[in-house]
Amino acid sequence: MPSNAKIVISQFGEAELLEILDADIPSPQSGEVLIKVSYAGINPIDVKTRAGLGWAAQHNKNNLPWTPGYDVSGVVVKQGEGSKKFNLNDMVAGFIGFPLRGGGYSQYVCVPENELALVPEDISLKPAAAIPLAGQTAAQALEKAQIQSGETVLILAGAGGVGHIAVQIAVAAKTKVFASCSESNLSYVESLGATALDYSKPDYLQQLGSVDVLIDLVGGQTAIDAMACLHPGSRLVTVPTITASQVCEEASKRGIIGMGMLVEPDVTQMEELLGLISSGMIKVQIEQVVSYQNVVDAHKKVETGRARGKILLDMQG
Ligand SMILES: NC(=O)c1ccc[n+]([C@@H]2O[C@H](COP(=O)([O-])OP(=O)(O)OC[C@H]3O[C@@H](n4cnc5c(N)ncnc54)[C@H](OP(=O)(O)O)[C@@H]3O)[C@@H](O)[C@H]2O)c1
């Protein structure tokens, strides 16, 4: 039987504690399919959980070793009883097992078929693995903020996994988009259709005037400082959960409508995002594809908080 390499967290801590195990290939249960995983996307929540931070770590602390990974793309290789949404050899992708099951950092994983979307033939499996969690977070944050055509939207961290998708959706919705990033990402963020703002400059928000919507992907004091360009009645969606209550409290003092959020997997939205990639409306930025054997380096890179777009694990071979 071919082996199934999977990456596990056996104890919380540094990236070096990630282990690669050789497991059996699992059998799909009723309503599931077995996927041979091509790529697994890495998200900041994976890195925080590995470090023992946040509620996914809290809830899994008695469930170690645990395999992280919510974003996968691959090929259906076996169907469980009653599973009929996909055919064998279909290319699929999804935002799977969120928040507690995870499991995407595996060469083979069983997934309920209703968590998966068919990947159109004109899309490679790389963007399909990069888009699930980040793309749905971007779409849901903008929905929550109820952006309207003609409004001014400021996105903090426009070059990141969530940010680069949020910028493109907000531009397509005909809002005027400003997005913060470091100097090295200015031209990249401009290429997405936003006005890029270099956050290393102390007065980087001064040119903005008044903003209708703030999508905060940084959190904490950075979000609080950016409230200087909001007005009473502006909407703010703060995405990092750890500082959400602090940011919303400060927003409320200023008459700003502050909202936290937790992304919810939504297959219909995933299919729509794949359609937007297929039509060329969204371009998925992949900074690096790293062999799963180098998962430690990949986690360290995501941990810097400086990746442009997404980092993927290549789970093949
Ligand atoms: N609540 C939820 O459901 C949910 C869902 C998804 C993500 N999140 C959270 O949302 C945050 C963003 O996620 P992500 O996947 O987009 O992260 P990410 O891909 O790791 O973000 C990296 C980007 O952040 C930028 N950045 C770092 N510091 C910045 C600053 N002070 N100002 C502006 N940009 C800055 C970097 O750009 P430069 O290199 O140009 O600095 C880099 O491009 C994370 O905290 C994540 O945990 C929450």
Side-chain angles (χ1 to χ4, degrees):
M1 201 184 218
S3 62
N4 173 23
K6 60 195 252 186
I7 293 154
V8 297
I9 298 168
S10 297
Q11 53 178 307
F12 296 128
E14 300 299 312
E16 284 77 5
L17 290 169
L18 289 165
E19 291 174 75
I20 302 173
L21 297 186
D22 195 4
D24 289 338
I25 297 177
S27 288
Q29 303 300 301
S30 172
E32 292 183 339
V33 290
L34 175 67
I35 306 175
K36 186 174 192 310
V37 177
S38 300
Y39 301 100
I42 302 180
N43 288 289
I45 186 174
D46 306 347
V47 171
K48 291 176 195 171
T49 304
R50 188 217 71 228
L53 303 172
W55 47 267
Q58 271 306 308
H59 283 87
N60 277 306
K61 67 180 182 207
N62 298 320
N63 187 27
L64 304 181
W66 181 73
T67 297
Y70 301 115
D71 286 346
V72 289
S73 68
V75 175
V76 174
V77 290
K78 202 169 179 185
Q79 293 152 304
E81 196 190 316
S83 151
K84 35 184 180 302
K85 183 171 171 186
F86 302 105
N87 296 312
L88 289 181
N89 298 320
D90 275 353
M91 293 198 303
V92 291
F95 179 6
I96 66 164
F98 187 76
L100 295 181
R101 201 182 73 238
Y105 292 12
S106 310
Q107 289 184 311
Y108 291 88
V109 65
C110 290
V111 182
E113 61 178 7
N114 60 11
E115 294 184 4
L116 295 167
L118 190 67
V119 178
E121 272 176 18
D122 59 347
I123 299 183
S124 127
L125 286 171
K126 289 179 189 167
I131 196 82
L133 192 155
Q136 290 182 52
T137 303
Q140 291 173 25
L142 292 164
E143 274 168 19
K144 197 161 185 120
Q146 298 187 332
I147 56 164
Q148 307 292 329
S149 152
E151 286 190 315
T152 303
V153 178
L154 169 61
I155 297 174
L156 300 180
V162 178
H164 83 291
I165 304 295
V167 166
Q168 294 175 76
I169 296 175
V171 168
K174 299 193 171 16
T175 62
K176 170 78 187 140
V177 183
F178 293 87
S180 65
C181 59
S182 62
E183 191 182 2
S184 62
N185 278 319
L186 287 171
S187 56
Y188 168 65
V189 168
E190 294 269 342
S191 77
L192 302 177
T195 302
L197 307 167
D198 177 356
Y199 65 77
S200 70
K201 304 242 157 65
D203 56 351
Y204 79 106
L205 296 172
Q206 250 172 23
Q207 59 166 292
L208 269 179
S210 196
V211 164
D212 302 302
V213 170
L214 172 61
I215 303 296
D216 162 37
L217 301 169
V218 179
Q221 194 56 44
T222 302
I224 292 171
D225 292 345
M227 286 181 205
C229 52
L230 302 184
H231 52 264
S234 294
R235 289 100 72 202
L236 181 167
V237 176
T238 182
V239 178
T241 49
I242 291 172
T243 56
S245 56
Q246 176 200 359
V247 171
C248 289
E249 216 168 279
E250 186 59 35
S252 158
K253 284 186 202 157
R254 301 176 191 215
I256 296 161
I257 302 162
M259 297 164 270
M261 67 166 276
L262 185 62
V263 62
E264 287 177 28
D266 177 338
V267 172
T268 306
Q269 190 168 53
M270 175 70 190
E271 288 162 351
E272 286 164 6
L273 287 165
L274 289 169
L276 294 174
I277 297 170
S278 182
S279 70
M281 217 199 81
I282 288 182
K283 291 188 174 50
V284 179
Q285 178 70 30
I286 296 171
E287 173 161 329
Q288 227 178 328
V289 181
V290 179
S291 163
Y292 74 90
Q293 281 132 332
N294 297 324
V295 63
V296 171
D297 295 341
H299 260 229
K300 285 182 172 171
K301 174 74 189 177
V302 174
E303 211 154 23
T304 64
R306 303 301 304 277
R308 179 188 288 179
K310 299 292 301 178
I311 296 191
L312 302 183
L313 292 176
D314 183 342
M315 297 304 304
Q316 305 160 104

